[in-house]
């Protein structure tokens, strides 16, 4: 399915269409990498940014799938607990990428402490990426225009607020919110760059007919 938008007189909308699929369609794919990408916000006030998160994967067909979309206002504790909830739910997450600018790494420390208290996560191997973002947001977001418009980045169809924020985006100058397109751009970059090391599987040569 596709959600189309009409151009407005002020500015120009960057994303002309969003390709969405339902959960059954998305989860039917084979995924080679899965990560949780987070752009946190520091307050819950009406004028503050939203915390945006994506549980996203790269599939065997080289398409990128946004399997869960979050666009909410959280306190610090609520945000950290939400991360734990997502890590428990999505067992194939191997990496968590969190923009460092907001909490300067304090959130990573708290999330790791919560993981130690959660039996289902205590022994999970999850790598955290926590870097400050210095590149201009418009530059970052511009890197995914073609991939989104051509349907190479596919979104779960159950969060219209998240996808509508992409469709409404006209650059920082004309857009009141940019959290969702920004975290989508970060997902697209991170899922390409991360390296997942799989356990070595030792085969008995006799199973291969060798002696």
């Amino acid at each position: 399915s596709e959600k189309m938008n009409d151009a407005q007189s002020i500015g120009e909308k960057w994303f002309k269409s969003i390709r969405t699929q339902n959960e059954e369609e998305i989860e039917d794919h084979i995924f080679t990498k899965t990560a949780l990408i987070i752009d946190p916000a520091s307050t819950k006030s009406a004028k503050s940014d939203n915390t945006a998160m994506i549980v996203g994967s790269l599939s065997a067909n080289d398409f990128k799938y946004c399997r869960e979309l979050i666009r909410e206002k959280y306190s610090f504790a609520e945000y950290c607990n939400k991360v734990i909830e997502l890590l428990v739910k999505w067992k194939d997450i191997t990496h968590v990428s969190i923009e460092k600018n907001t909490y300067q790494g304090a959130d990573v420390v708290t999330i790791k402490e919560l993981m130690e208290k959660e039996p289902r996560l205590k022994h999970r191997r999850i790598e955290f990426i926590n870097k400050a973002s210095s590149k201009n947001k418009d530059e970052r977001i511009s890197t995914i225009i073609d991939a989104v418009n051509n349907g190479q980045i596919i979104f779960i169809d159950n969060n219209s607020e998240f996808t509508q924020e992409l469709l409404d985006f006209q650059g920082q100058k004309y857009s009141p919110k940019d959290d969702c397109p920004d975290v989508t751009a970060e997902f697209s970059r991170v899922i390409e760059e991360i390296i997942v090391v799989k356990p070595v599987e030792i085969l008995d040569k006799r199973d291969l007919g060798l002696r």
Side-chain angles (χ1 to χ4, degrees):
S1 63
E2 287 191 351
K3 300 178 182 180
M4 302 299 293
N5 68 300
D6 298 320
Q8 292 183 348
S9 57
I10 299 177
E12 180 181 353
K13 294 189 178 182
W14 291 22
F15 301 103
K16 308 304 179 184
S17 66
I18 297 280
R19 184 180 176 189
T20 63
Q21 291 182 349
N22 62 39
E23 182 180 359
E24 184 178 0
E25 290 173 310
I26 288 180
E27 295 305 317
D28 191 44
H29 293 85
I30 296 172
F31 301 116
T32 59
K33 304 179 189 178
T34 300
L36 170 59
I37 315 299
I38 305 170
D39 183 2
S42 58
T43 69
K44 295 177 66 176
S45 68
K47 293 183 178 180
S48 69
D49 291 339
N50 293 293
T51 293
M53 308 187 200
I54 291 177
V55 176
S57 300
L58 182 69
S59 74
N61 64 10
D62 284 333
F63 279 60
K64 297 168 184 174
Y65 291 85
C66 300
R67 299 161 70 189
E68 183 157 352
L69 306 171
I70 306 290
R71 178 184 179 271
E72 296 287 350
K73 294 185 185 297
Y74 294 118
S75 67
F76 180 80
E78 289 170 341
Y79 148 57
C80 293
N81 284 318
K82 183 63 179 181
V83 173
I84 296 299
E85 177 187 321
L86 292 171
L87 293 177
V88 169
K89 177 181 177 182
W90 298 97
K91 296 179 176 59
D92 55 343
I93 291 174
T94 59
H95 292 70
V96 178
S97 177
I98 304 176
E99 188 177 71
K100 192 173 183 178
N101 300 47
T102 303
Y103 291 115
Q104 298 298 311
D107 46 354
V108 175
V109 172
T110 300
I111 291 164
K112 286 182 176 180
E113 290 173 349
L114 292 172
M115 288 176 65
E116 284 296 313
K117 298 176 183 178
E118 170 53 66
R120 291 167 292 182
L121 297 176
K122 192 172 182 179
H123 301 295
R124 277 265 298 274
R125 293 183 62 181
I126 297 174
E127 182 176 337
F128 283 81
I129 303 165
N130 190 217
K131 296 180 180 179
S133 179
S134 56
K135 191 175 180 180
N136 178 277
K137 277 192 178 184
D138 279 358
E139 289 182 30
R140 288 203 302 271
I141 296 168
S142 69
T143 63
I144 61 166
I145 292 175
D146 288 344
V148 172
N149 287 338
N150 294 332
Q152 295 168 310
I153 299 177
I154 301 165
F155 299 81
I156 187 75
D157 65 358
N158 61 3
N159 193 327
S160 59
E161 289 186 350
F162 190 106
T163 50
Q164 191 60 49
E165 189 174 299
L166 268 82
L167 289 171
D168 291 339
F169 187 72
Q170 302 173 45
Q172 284 184 281
K173 184 176 180 180
Y174 298 112
S175 304
K177 298 291 183 182
D178 54 29
D179 313 299
C180 297
D182 193 28
V183 79
T184 303
E186 189 66 5
F187 156 63
S188 182
R189 183 189 66 81
V190 168
I191 205 68
E192 290 278 359
E193 293 182 355
I194 62 174
I195 298 173
V196 177
V197 179
K198 296 183 179 180
V200 175
E201 185 175 347
I202 300 174
L203 299 175
D204 189 328
K205 66 181 181 180
R206 289 172 294 186
D207 294 335
L208 303 175
L210 301 173
R211 292 184 179 178

